[in-house]
Amino acid sequence: MHIKTMEGLVGASTNMNLLNTPMRVFKEARRRGDTEVMERAMGYVGEFADKAEEYKVKAAQGMEEDAKEAREKEKADREEAIRKRKEEREKLEERIDESRDGDTNKDTSEIGGEGNVPVKGNTSPEHTDFDEIKTGAVKEPVMYTRTGEAVHIEQNAGISVSV
């Protein structure tokens, strides 16, 4: 918080609190009918009210300065963030360029040692057929029990259902 803002708020609050005493004196004098005391009390009330108004203006000026400083700080933070993002983007682009330069000669990747799978650029229809990839998997049908044991099933086994 800016110094002017604090001074203005404290000064206005204090003068408004000090205004209560002469107002109380004014009310008592009015009840008694003492106009001289009433005039003097109203003079004090006017002075405190004027001072409170001056401090109110000072607080408003301080808040404007606070807002201006906050906008400048926010602008500087935004510019710093933009600068950092640009640097990160440049570093990322450099890494991408380096990885592209290193991978230009590689079009396929070996799987298992028996077959090739296209990685980039080499996507002709003959390489997209997955039946050509040899996995070495067992071709026999297998069923698993509740305990997780594999049981081989005969191909000729029949199932009959009666209703």
Side-chain angles (χ1 to χ4, degrees), residues 137-148:
V138 178
K139 301 281 183 171
E140 299 176 15
V142 177
M143 179 181 280
Y144 293 96
T145 63
R146 288 185 179 176
T147 59

Side-chain angles (χ1 to χ4, degrees), residues 26-147:
F26 172 80
K27 289 178 184 178
E28 288 177 12
R30 186 176 66 187
R31 244 184 318 180
R32 290 188 314 237
D34 191 358
T35 57
E36 185 177 314
V37 174
M38 286 173 46
E39 288 176 8
R40 195 174 13 182
M42 283 309 290
Y44 288 125
V45 168
E47 287 177 26
F48 288 133
D50 291 342
K51 284 183 183 178
E53 186 67 30
E54 289 173 13
Y55 281 115
K56 178 182 170 188
V57 170
K58 193 178 237 183
Q61 289 173 349
M63 289 191 319
E64 287 176 11
E65 291 176 12
D66 282 343
K68 183 180 177 181
E69 289 176 4
R71 283 191 301 268
E72 289 173 359
K73 184 176 187 262
E74 184 179 334
K75 183 179 178 181
D77 290 345
R78 264 195 320 259
E79 289 173 356
E80 180 68 19
I82 290 170
R83 186 186 59 78
K84 284 182 180 180
R85 277 188 243 134
K86 283 182 181 179
E87 288 177 1
E88 289 174 2
R89 188 175 350 120
E90 288 173 359
K91 288 178 183 177
L92 180 62
E93 287 174 358
E94 287 176 7
R95 282 190 282 160
I96 290 172
D97 290 341
E98 289 174 3
S99 67
R100 284 183 184 165
D101 292 342
D103 290 341
T104 55
N105 295 333
K106 296 181 181 179
D107 283 340
T108 58
S109 173
E110 292 280 327
I111 293 183
E114 294 180 0
N116 290 334
V117 176
V119 176
K120 359 175 193 174
N122 193 6
T123 57
S124 63
E126 62 191 38
H127 290 290
T128 57
D129 191 11
F130 292 106
D131 292 338
E132 293 178 5
I133 300 174
K134 303 211 189 274
T135 59
V138 178
K139 301 281 183 171
E140 299 176 15
V142 177
M143 179 181 280
Y144 293 96
T145 63
R146 288 185 179 176
T147 59

